[in-house]
Structures are given as C-alpha cells and as structure tokens.
Amino acid sequence: MARPSRSRRKNKGCPVNDIHVNTIHIDCEFDSGNIEVLSISGASARLALRKDHMSQFAQWFHFRVSGASGRELELKITGLNQSAYPGGWSDYDACVSEDREYWGRARSTFDKDEDGGTLTIRYAGDSDVAWFAYFAPYSMERHHDLVSEAALSEGVSYRRLGTTLDGQPVDCLDMGEGETQVWLYARQHPGESMAEWWMEGALECLTDPADPVGRTLRQKCTLHIVPNCNPDGSRRGHLRTNAVGTNLNREWDTPTAEKSPEVLCIRNAMDKTGVHFAMDVHGDEAIPAVFLAGFEGIPSLADGQLEKYEKYQSILDRRTPDFQMKLGYGKTPAGTANLSMSTTQLASRFGCCSMTLEMPFKDNHELPDPEQGWSPERSKLLARDCLAALVEWLD
C-alpha cells in the first residue's frame, strides 16, 4: 500500500511525427470506465456521460485517450446541465494521469450555455496515452490488493459479509481487542473514489505495528472496516448506485436482498456487534471543503448523544487544517431526520455517535493545491488525522 509516486514518466520513444496519427482514440471499456464518444476530429472530441444502469444519475467519467503525444487535447463533455449535480462543474478541473499512479489536474472550464452545459478539458502531456477521470479512480483490482494485504497483517481477520447482485464479495476487515465497537465504511456511492483512498490510508495506519495511533485504537476498540460498500457500482463506472440503480445510502431503514443486499449484509453484521462509533466516508461534488454531517434530526436523540458528535468534530477541526466547520450541509430540524440514510439510521438504531465524512471532488478552497486539487494523497493523510482524532475522543 505504498503511496503513489509523484514522478511523471517522459516519452522516450520515436519522434512525435512518427508516432501519432491524425485522430485520437478514446476507450472506456475497463474497470470503472464511463464515457460516450459522440464525435472525434483530430485532437478534439465531443463526449457525453453514461448514466448509471437503471438510474438517472450521471456525473462520473473515466476514459483513456491514445494518440495524444505532442498535441493539445480538447475534450468537451456535453449535456452536463442534466447531470446529477450541475453545481459540481464550476471551478472544477478534471483529473489526469499518464502512468495511473500520479494524478494531477487538467485545465478545465465549464460553460452552462454551450451544448446543454459543457466541460472543456485541455491537456498537452508527454505520453501517447493519457487517462482522465472525475477523481483519481480506485479500481477493484487495487481494492483486492488492499484487502489481501490488510488481511495478512497480524491481528486482522477477514469476513465476507455477503454477495452483491453481480456476484462480488462485500469485504470486511476486523481488528482490535477493546470494548468500543467502531465501524468505518466507505464508497456507498461508487463514484466517490476518494473514499477508498481514505480507507487505504486508514488501513495503513491501523495495520502498522509501529504507528501509535493504530496501536492505541486496536487496544481500546474493536474495529470493523468495509473499504467498499458498492463493488458493483464501482466496477460498472457508476456515480451513485449499485447494479440495479439503487442508491444504497437511502436503503438503511428497509434494505432488501433484491435491491440492496450490500446494505442488508452490512447492517446485519452491525446488529451482531453493536455500534458505538461509526463513520461513513463520502465525497461531495459541489462544496470545495472537507466537512462532517451528523444526526441532529433523529426523533430518538438521547441526552448527551449529539455532544459526542460535536466533540469529535471539534477535535478534528483542531488536528488538521484540511478540515473545517464553516461549509457543509444545513442542520436537519429536530425529529425530521431521514432514517433511510446510514448515519441517521445508526444513531437512531444504536444510540451511537455516527457521522458522514465528506471530501471534495474539486479542491480544498482554504488550502488549495493547483497541481493536484484534492487528491488520493490528501485523502490518505486525512484518514490518519481522523483516526488520531478518534484516539483523543475516546479519552
């Protein structure tokens, strides 16, 4: 689980005029690929998003361009006024990589009046092949590497909680010997790939025998970690849903084997262990910040329950400048919480401290990085800060 290299490979092949053809080629038939090619002319292309299967959600894209060397690409993704979150396109730069390890940003502009809302991506790279994505992808192959390596670590046990509709496993890693039951789960919305980069950072911390944060949490807690709640949507290149168009984070009150077996098996496992602390890891398309969302609107709110959430939020705000408390979602009025969402369902079901962590698709507006924006590297670093905040919260 080494961190991605920050180096970029230079093209050392033939002279430019000998290796590129007149027209670029665009492909997406691979793990998490998503794009529709409407037309290509030279180094320019007109594209559109592919909707999630059996759903109207569309926002994620991931595709490969070949024949790119020595040329400035102009890639226009059209029809974005009808995407799931049109507000996500302003001040957004597409992610790009030439080695699929280091992901930078390609200069992008959004015009709501062009062709139903168009994001224009411009990029001139060194390689003949470049990969573009809404955020740095986290492939199912990398997921299996993550689970396999963590499962080999001392004190870690693996559980297959259930099976998805496409026949993939729902993986869970358990560790620790304390009485406090902690559940960390991510990627209910598969296009929010920063959530599994966060999980990689969390597992690196928790399985490192020399890391004092991981050691303390394993002593004081029993941790249950689901790195990817939606393998089918991840592999299919969906933004928000599973294989049959179900938004898993609206299924936690009444999950079914037919529509949401992922939620059903995770919630059943939680019922067996109980939950004291839970974090659901996500990404937000429009808000350029890291923030938390809580459970203030649940009808069964107990005395002192909300104070536990507010205490954790304050600790995290103090621990890392990448977190803030000014931007985020509005608070739900008392007694009106949507219990179909995991954070509110768990707070109501177990009386626990639960929360949703949101990271940006864009950049952190208070601490911008012009080269990468919000990135896999920052997602992983944030994970350790979240775990360190949990150590302090427990005390």
PDB file of all heavy atoms in Angstrom, residues 366-380:
ATOM      1  N   GLU A 366      -9.703  26.455   1.213  1.00  0.00           N
ATOM      2  CA  GLU A 366      -8.897  27.150   2.215  1.00  0.00           C
ATOM      3  C   GLU A 366      -7.419  26.780   2.127  1.00  0.00           C
ATOM      4  O   GLU A 366      -6.570  27.492   2.658  1.00  0.00           O
ATOM      5  CB  GLU A 366      -9.410  26.840   3.621  1.00  0.00           C
ATOM      6  CG  GLU A 366     -10.765  27.460   3.938  1.00  0.00           C
ATOM      7  CD  GLU A 366     -11.145  27.308   5.406  1.00  0.00           C
ATOM      8  OE1 GLU A 366     -10.563  26.431   6.080  1.00  0.00           O
ATOM      9  OE2 GLU A 366     -12.023  28.056   5.865  1.00  0.00           O
ATOM     10  N   LEU A 367      -7.099  25.679   1.451  1.00  0.00           N
ATOM     11  CA  LEU A 367      -5.717  25.213   1.352  1.00  0.00           C
ATOM     12  C   LEU A 367      -5.511  24.581  -0.029  1.00  0.00           C
ATOM     13  O   LEU A 367      -5.284  23.388  -0.152  1.00  0.00           O
ATOM     14  CB  LEU A 367      -5.438  24.205   2.468  1.00  0.00           C
ATOM     15  CG  LEU A 367      -3.980  23.913   2.815  1.00  0.00           C
ATOM     16  CD1 LEU A 367      -3.273  25.174   3.300  1.00  0.00           C
ATOM     17  CD2 LEU A 367      -3.902  22.826   3.880  1.00  0.00           C
ATOM     18  N   PRO A 368      -5.602  25.388  -1.091  1.00  0.00           N
ATOM     19  CA  PRO A 368      -5.610  24.832  -2.446  1.00  0.00           C
ATOM     20  C   PRO A 368      -4.259  24.278  -2.883  1.00  0.00           C
ATOM     21  O   PRO A 368      -3.210  24.729  -2.436  1.00  0.00           O
ATOM     22  CB  PRO A 368      -6.023  26.032  -3.303  1.00  0.00           C
ATOM     23  CG  PRO A 368      -5.601  27.226  -2.521  1.00  0.00           C
ATOM     24  CD  PRO A 368      -5.780  26.847  -1.076  1.00  0.00           C
ATOM     25  N   ASP A 369      -4.334  23.294  -3.773  1.00  0.00           N
ATOM     26  CA  ASP A 369      -3.163  22.700  -4.417  1.00  0.00           C
ATOM     27  C   ASP A 369      -3.394  22.787  -5.924  1.00  0.00           C
ATOM     28  O   ASP A 369      -4.106  21.955  -6.492  1.00  0.00           O
ATOM     29  CB  ASP A 369      -2.996  21.245  -3.980  1.00  0.00           C
ATOM     30  CG  ASP A 369      -1.809  20.551  -4.639  1.00  0.00           C
ATOM     31  OD1 ASP A 369      -1.208  21.133  -5.561  1.00  0.00           O
ATOM     32  OD2 ASP A 369      -1.480  19.417  -4.245  1.00  0.00           O
ATOM     33  N   PRO A 370      -2.829  23.798  -6.615  1.00  0.00           N
ATOM     34  CA  PRO A 370      -3.121  23.995  -8.043  1.00  0.00           C
ATOM     35  C   PRO A 370      -2.745  22.803  -8.915  1.00  0.00           C
ATOM     36  O   PRO A 370      -3.357  22.592  -9.962  1.00  0.00           O
ATOM     37  CB  PRO A 370      -2.280  25.232  -8.399  1.00  0.00           C
ATOM     38  CG  PRO A 370      -2.048  25.937  -7.106  1.00  0.00           C
ATOM     39  CD  PRO A 370      -1.955  24.851  -6.072  1.00  0.00           C
ATOM     40  N   GLU A 371      -1.755  22.018  -8.493  1.00  0.00           N
ATOM     41  CA  GLU A 371      -1.304  20.906  -9.321  1.00  0.00           C
ATOM     42  C   GLU A 371      -2.229  19.698  -9.235  1.00  0.00           C
ATOM     43  O   GLU A 371      -2.531  19.060 -10.240  1.00  0.00           O
ATOM     44  CB  GLU A 371       0.111  20.484  -8.923  1.00  0.00           C
ATOM     45  CG  GLU A 371       0.698  19.406  -9.827  1.00  0.00           C
ATOM     46  CD  GLU A 371       2.127  19.050  -9.454  1.00  0.00           C
ATOM     47  OE1 GLU A 371       2.788  19.866  -8.785  1.00  0.00           O
ATOM     48  OE2 GLU A 371       2.573  17.947  -9.835  1.00  0.00           O
ATOM     49  N   GLN A 372      -2.712  19.377  -8.028  1.00  0.00           N
ATOM     50  CA  GLN A 372      -3.499  18.163  -7.842  1.00  0.00           C
ATOM     51  C   GLN A 372      -4.922  18.401  -7.353  1.00  0.00           C
ATOM     52  O   GLN A 372      -5.751  17.508  -7.459  1.00  0.00           O
ATOM     53  CB  GLN A 372      -2.806  17.232  -6.843  1.00  0.00           C
ATOM     54  CG  GLN A 372      -1.643  16.448  -7.413  1.00  0.00           C
ATOM     55  CD  GLN A 372      -1.211  15.358  -6.466  1.00  0.00           C
ATOM     56  OE1 GLN A 372      -0.594  15.617  -5.426  1.00  0.00           O
ATOM     57  NE2 GLN A 372      -1.539  14.129  -6.796  1.00  0.00           N
ATOM     58  N   GLY A 373      -5.222  19.578  -6.800  1.00  0.00           N
ATOM     59  CA  GLY A 373      -6.503  19.742  -6.141  1.00  0.00           C
ATOM     60  C   GLY A 373      -6.589  18.791  -4.961  1.00  0.00           C
ATOM     61  O   GLY A 373      -5.578  18.409  -4.369  1.00  0.00           O
ATOM     62  N   TRP A 374      -7.817  18.422  -4.571  1.00  0.00           N
ATOM     63  CA  TRP A 374      -7.936  17.341  -3.587  1.00  0.00           C
ATOM     64  C   TRP A 374      -7.448  16.071  -4.262  1.00  0.00           C
ATOM     65  O   TRP A 374      -7.697  15.835  -5.443  1.00  0.00           O
ATOM     66  CB  TRP A 374      -9.363  17.194  -3.097  1.00  0.00           C
ATOM     67  CG  TRP A 374      -9.439  16.268  -1.920  1.00  0.00           C
ATOM     68  CD1 TRP A 374      -9.890  14.984  -1.920  1.00  0.00           C
ATOM     69  CD2 TRP A 374      -9.018  16.548  -0.583  1.00  0.00           C
ATOM     70  NE1 TRP A 374      -9.779  14.441  -0.658  1.00  0.00           N
ATOM     71  CE2 TRP A 374      -9.237  15.380   0.191  1.00  0.00           C
ATOM     72  CE3 TRP A 374      -8.469  17.671   0.041  1.00  0.00           C
ATOM     73  CZ2 TRP A 374      -8.943  15.304   1.538  1.00  0.00           C
ATOM     74  CZ3 TRP A 374      -8.163  17.593   1.395  1.00  0.00           C
ATOM     75  CH2 TRP A 374      -8.402  16.425   2.135  1.00  0.00           C
ATOM     76  N   SER A 375      -6.744  15.211  -3.546  1.00  0.00           N
ATOM     77  CA  SER A 375      -6.004  14.130  -4.186  1.00  0.00           C
ATOM     78  C   SER A 375      -6.066  12.844  -3.371  1.00  0.00           C
ATOM     79  O   SER A 375      -6.460  12.856  -2.194  1.00  0.00           O
ATOM     80  CB  SER A 375      -4.536  14.544  -4.348  1.00  0.00           C
ATOM     81  OG  SER A 375      -3.938  14.725  -3.068  1.00  0.00           O
ATOM     82  N   PRO A 376      -5.624  11.730  -3.971  1.00  0.00           N
ATOM     83  CA  PRO A 376      -5.509  10.496  -3.194  1.00  0.00           C
ATOM     84  C   PRO A 376      -4.585  10.657  -1.997  1.00  0.00           C
ATOM     85  O   PRO A 376      -4.871  10.142  -0.906  1.00  0.00           O
ATOM     86  CB  PRO A 376      -4.929   9.500  -4.204  1.00  0.00           C
ATOM     87  CG  PRO A 376      -5.379  10.004  -5.531  1.00  0.00           C
ATOM     88  CD  PRO A 376      -5.365  11.497  -5.411  1.00  0.00           C
ATOM     89  N   GLU A 377      -3.479  11.366  -2.191  1.00  0.00           N
ATOM     90  CA  GLU A 377      -2.522  11.534  -1.113  1.00  0.00           C
ATOM     91  C   GLU A 377      -3.146  12.262   0.075  1.00  0.00           C
ATOM     92  O   GLU A 377      -2.953  11.875   1.234  1.00  0.00           O
ATOM     93  CB  GLU A 377      -1.290  12.300  -1.614  1.00  0.00           C
ATOM     94  CG  GLU A 377      -0.444  11.526  -2.609  1.00  0.00           C
ATOM     95  CD  GLU A 377      -0.900  11.680  -4.054  1.00  0.00           C
ATOM     96  OE1 GLU A 377      -2.014  12.173  -4.287  1.00  0.00           O
ATOM     97  OE2 GLU A 377      -0.134  11.302  -4.949  1.00  0.00           O
ATOM     98  N   ARG A 378      -3.898  13.329  -0.198  1.00  0.00           N
ATOM     99  CA  ARG A 378      -4.515  14.083   0.899  1.00  0.00           C
ATOM    100  C   ARG A 378      -5.641  13.281   1.549  1.00  0.00           C
ATOM    101  O   ARG A 378      -5.875  13.392   2.758  1.00  0.00           O
ATOM    102  CB  ARG A 378      -5.008  15.427   0.385  1.00  0.00           C
ATOM    103  CG  ARG A 378      -3.873  16.370   0.080  1.00  0.00           C
ATOM    104  CD  ARG A 378      -4.344  17.652  -0.569  1.00  0.00           C
ATOM    105  NE  ARG A 378      -4.845  18.613   0.397  1.00  0.00           N
ATOM    106  CZ  ARG A 378      -5.272  19.822   0.058  1.00  0.00           C
ATOM    107  NH1 ARG A 378      -5.278  20.206  -1.209  1.00  0.00           N
ATOM    108  NH2 ARG A 378      -5.706  20.658   0.981  1.00  0.00           N
ATOM    109  N   SER A 379      -6.340  12.475   0.777  1.00  0.00           N
ATOM    110  CA  SER A 379      -7.384  11.619   1.344  1.00  0.00           C
ATOM    111  C   SER A 379      -6.778  10.646   2.351  1.00  0.00           C
ATOM    112  O   SER A 379      -7.332  10.413   3.438  1.00  0.00           O
ATOM    113  CB  SER A 379      -8.102  10.843   0.229  1.00  0.00           C
ATOM    114  OG  SER A 379      -8.685  11.711  -0.710  1.00  0.00           O
ATOM    115  N   LYS A 380      -5.631  10.071   1.998  1.00  0.00           N
ATOM    116  CA  LYS A 380      -4.972   9.121   2.886  1.00  0.00           C
ATOM    117  C   LYS A 380      -4.443   9.803   4.156  1.00  0.00           C
ATOM    118  O   LYS A 380      -4.550   9.254   5.259  1.00  0.00           O
ATOM    119  CB  LYS A 380      -3.831   8.426   2.137  1.00  0.00           C
ATOM    120  CG  LYS A 380      -4.302   7.503   1.025  1.00  0.00           C
ATOM    121  CD  LYS A 380      -3.153   6.911   0.228  1.00  0.00           C
ATOM    122  CE  LYS A 380      -2.295   5.995   1.065  1.00  0.00           C
ATOM    123  NZ  LYS A 380      -1.258   5.310   0.258  1.00  0.00           N
TER     124      LYS A 380
END
